[in-house]
Amino acid sequence: MESKEIVLTREEAAEIESKLEYLKSVRRAEISEQIKQARAFGDISENAEYDEAKNEQAKIEGEIADAENLLRLARIIDNDTIDTAVVSVGTLVKVLDVGYNEEITYLITGMMLGSENDVKTNARKITSESPVAKALMGKKVGKTVTVQTPGGTLKLKILEISRV
């Protein structure tokens, strides 16, 4: 993982910490038990269960390292201090898709965690690294941006910026 600073809301950081705790306390123990059971089958050189458990163990350890690194690099922002004068991580941004004359609300996140939609706000979650978020970041209400996306060009007018 790169050493670039990552901006996370407190909620996002708490979600990562929760996942990290689960991986360390629950998944490690489960994998350890699977390895123990697979060893009981005998010769591990041709033991598919053992190989699978060891592969899963490596995957889990990689996820733990990634989560720890992410938290180490993260700059945590408090929702109460998010400036709604401009689009930034942690803001809800209501835009008008000029081409389709459709209003869309985006929740700008530091990382994509969970589903692609935020249930509380009925907003589409997008990471600050996405083309749409990059185009919107730092812009004010009333500004229109043009975004090149894999699906084509979008013209978005910022209607409203708020906190979650």
Side-chain angles (χ1 to χ4, degrees), residues 16-142:
I16 293 167
E17 288 169 350
S18 175
K19 179 183 176 186
L20 182 60
E21 181 60 30
Y22 170 77
L23 291 172
K24 285 180 163 182
S25 62
V26 177
R27 287 298 292 146
R28 268 185 176 161
E30 290 173 351
I31 298 299
S32 178
E33 184 59 32
Q34 287 174 357
I35 291 171
K36 182 179 170 184
Q37 289 175 359
R39 279 190 181 141
F41 292 135
D43 183 15
I44 61 172
S45 65
E46 293 183 22
N47 186 328
E49 289 84 2
Y50 179 79
D51 290 341
E52 187 178 325
K54 290 299 278 185
N55 288 339
E56 184 67 14
Q57 181 183 43
K59 179 182 164 225
I60 296 301
E61 291 304 322
E63 288 180 30
I64 289 170
D66 287 348
E68 287 174 338
N69 193 40
L70 184 63
L71 290 171
R72 183 180 56 79
L73 296 173
R75 178 170 60 91
I76 311 299
I77 57 172
D78 193 348
N79 287 350
D80 296 337
T81 63
I82 293 172
D83 180 10
T84 58
V86 296
V87 177
S88 63
V89 171
T91 58
L92 281 170
V93 185
K94 184 186 285 187
V95 298
L96 174 67
D97 182 328
V98 177
Y100 289 100
N101 195 31
E102 175 187 5
E103 287 186 7
I104 306 165
T105 303
Y106 293 110
L107 172 58
I108 311 294
T109 65
M111 296 289 298
M112 186 56 76
L113 304 169
S115 72
E116 293 179 11
N117 294 314
D118 184 67
V119 178
K120 292 186 294 190
T121 62
N122 200 28
R124 296 180 189 175
K125 288 167 123 180
I126 57 173
T127 71
S128 58
E129 296 298 313
S130 72
V132 171
K134 282 182 177 180
L136 293 172
M137 295 289 274
K139 306 297 188 296
K140 296 181 178 186
V141 170

